[in-house]
Amino acid sequence: MFVLPIAAVVCLLGTSSEAATLRSAAHGRVHIGTAAKPGFISEDGRYATTLAREFDQLEPENEMKWSLLRPARDRFDFAAADELVRFAKQNGMLVRGHTLLWYQAVPKWLGEGQWTWNDLSQLMANHIQTVVRHFAGSVYAWDVVNEAFHPDGSLRSSIWYDSPGTGVGGPYGYIERAFVLAHAADPRAKLFYNDYAFEGGGPKFEAILAMARDFKKRGVPINGIGFQCHFTLNSIPAATLQKNMRAFTDLGLEVHITELDVRLPVDGTGHATPQDLERQAQMYGEVVRACLAVRGCSAIQVWGFSDARSWIPRFFSGQGAGTLFDQEFRPKPAYRLVLDLLTGAAAAR
Ligand code: XIL
């Protein structure tokens, strides 16, 4: 029997003659995004080229957080975030907004100020209204609240949670109010709750699911849940990821993978072993497979795309090499597997 080589089959299935990229392979099934920084775009041509070539969505790694957006009580600085939005528009990319309320990235003036509950209530409302309106029509989805739960499922202490006046009552007071305010400021934006270390189940997962159920039941305007997915070789919840995403999509919510990376032990130059890079590829593959298997998982976003420009070495000592491209912007095994899986999903459409 005459057997066609795989490459010929792929050609016959009608993929374009241009080299495939993540964004071309994912087109029509999921958005493929990354965290990005405007400084890297302007100072590194390889960074900018790879970003525009491979991704159809970006999210400012820091530039929409309070600490960068709001240097003083009465001053917003949108310049850096606007630069990213411009880059996205020029390159036909969507923008995810991150994040309206978080217990971190609280500017000094806010964290150290003396506030009444009423002050904080007004600051929060004014912030959400100003920021969401500024980006209305540019940001298609917001992480409205980020990382509000402890591992045991209780709510985490933060300037917002600890000030009952910022909420509307009920167990999720400030979170609920943030969604209501964001929806009023841009009714077309998709509103997400985003968190980490719950993807595989456990008390934090149960707590987020209970909140999502409650919000859906009472008509609080929530559209989706962000699964951050910061993993190590030992922490990927491959067996439960799909089921846990479905728990939310069954409620009528979307799921986005928002901050995927898989950090590895590295040597003094930031390099991992070839074996670990292969295992890392399998783990990226598990996450992509899970998302593609769940209708309602509509975006896969990585937290940085090159080992040269990743947050991991600064935050986790002795670890790194967590992204899809190496320090020289060459594709790693994980990139190749993700591309193959996305291409397969496209072929199956
Ligand atoms: C991180 C950024 O990558 C760093 O550059 C910054 O110094 C701290 O924040 N979860 C989140 C992200 O939701 O906002 C965090 O980003 C990483 C963990």
Side-chain angles (χ1 to χ4, degrees):
M1 193 181 96
F2 177 68
V3 179
L4 283 173
I6 288 188
V9 174
V10 170
C11 272
L12 287 174
L13 284 172
T15 48
S16 86
S17 56
E18 281 175 36
T21 64
L22 298 179
R23 69 183 282 179
S24 67
H27 185 73
R29 170 58 187 91
V30 280
H31 293 294
I32 179 93
T34 177
K37 284 197 195 183
F40 295 164
I41 292 175
S42 51
E43 75 198 32
D44 189 340
R46 292 174 310 174
Y47 181 93
T49 313
T50 311
L51 174 60
R53 189 187 65 227
E54 299 291 339
F55 299 95
D56 72 352
Q57 171 181 300
L58 64 74
E59 173 168 312
E61 188 167 333
N62 293 309
E63 289 70 20
M64 289 185 186
K65 294 172 182 170
W66 274 73
S67 51
L68 289 188
L69 214 50
R70 204 154 174 190
R73 179 178 184 168
D74 300 317
R75 196 156 64 82
F76 286 85
D77 183 353
F78 289 112
D82 285 347
E83 211 178 307
L84 275 169
V85 170
R86 244 189 332 271
F87 182 90
K89 284 191 177 149
Q90 278 162 2
N91 291 288
M93 305 165 88
L94 295 174
V95 180
R96 278 190 104 260
H98 175 79
T99 172
L100 297 171
L101 297 183
W102 190 24
Y103 76 100
Q104 287 187 38
V106 174
K108 216 167 169 197
W109 64 263
L110 176 59
E112 293 178 4
Q114 297 292 317
W115 310 107
T116 64
W117 289 349
N118 194 37
D119 291 336
L120 284 174
S121 170
Q122 283 179 17
L123 273 166
M124 175 177 145
N126 162 263
H127 186 83
I128 293 176
Q129 276 152 5
T130 308
V131 173
V132 174
R133 277 187 200 148
H134 178 88
F135 293 109
S138 299
V139 164
Y140 88 108
W142 275 105
D143 288 335
V144 176
V145 177
N146 195 34
E147 303 179 353
F149 289 90
H150 284 301
D152 70 0
S154 61
L155 278 162
R156 198 195 278 272
S157 163
S158 76
I159 189 165
W160 311 114
Y161 176 64
D162 299 339
S163 310
T166 56
V168 286
Y172 315 109
Y174 84 95
I175 304 178
E176 176 171 343
R177 179 152 175 256
F179 277 87
V180 170
L181 287 163
H183 183 64
D186 181 3
R188 295 175 62 180
K190 297 183 184 204
L191 304 183
F192 279 69
Y193 174 78
N194 191 51
D195 214 326
Y196 72 103
F198 76 105
E199 300 89 341
K204 193 178 193 174
F205 168 81
E206 297 300 337
I208 295 170
L209 184 59
M211 178 179 76
R213 262 199 208 109
D214 175 65
F215 281 7
K216 286 300 283 182
K217 197 171 82 203
R218 292 188 301 107
V220 178
I222 184 171
N223 302 98
I225 302 294
F227 279 52
Q228 289 189 10
C229 298
H230 292 291
F231 293 137
T232 68
L233 284 182
N234 303 315
S235 72
I236 189 178
T240 47
L241 195 52
Q242 251 193 62
K243 181 167 92 32
N244 290 348
M245 288 183 190
R246 269 206 194 96
F248 292 104
T249 58
D250 285 351
L251 297 175
L253 292 168
E254 281 180 57
V255 166
H256 285 177
I257 307 287
T258 51
E259 306 188 10
L260 175 60
D261 53 23
V262 182
R263 56 186 185 270
L264 302 176
V266 289
D267 63 20
T269 63
H271 290 95
T273 65
Q275 292 86 335
D276 279 356
L277 291 172
E278 289 300 331
R279 290 173 66 202
Q280 177 185 56
Q282 294 309 318
M283 300 190 49
Y284 267 93
E286 291 295 345
V287 178
V288 171
R289 276 193 199 97
C291 179
L292 292 176
V294 175
R295 185 194 286 268
C297 180
S298 47
I300 301 171
Q301 181 170 266
V302 293
W303 203 243
F305 56 89
S306 160
D307 292 342
R309 301 290 190 172
S310 158
W311 74 304
I312 295 170
R314 279 184 295 120
F315 279 78
F316 304 94
S317 128
Q319 302 186 62
T323 74
L324 295 171
F325 290 85
D326 70 11
Q327 295 184 25
E328 302 304 325
F329 291 84
R330 289 176 302 226
K332 292 161 62 182
Y335 173 87
R336 281 185 223 103
L337 181 55
V338 170
L339 181 60
D340 283 354
L341 291 169
L342 293 173
T343 306
R349 268 199 299 274

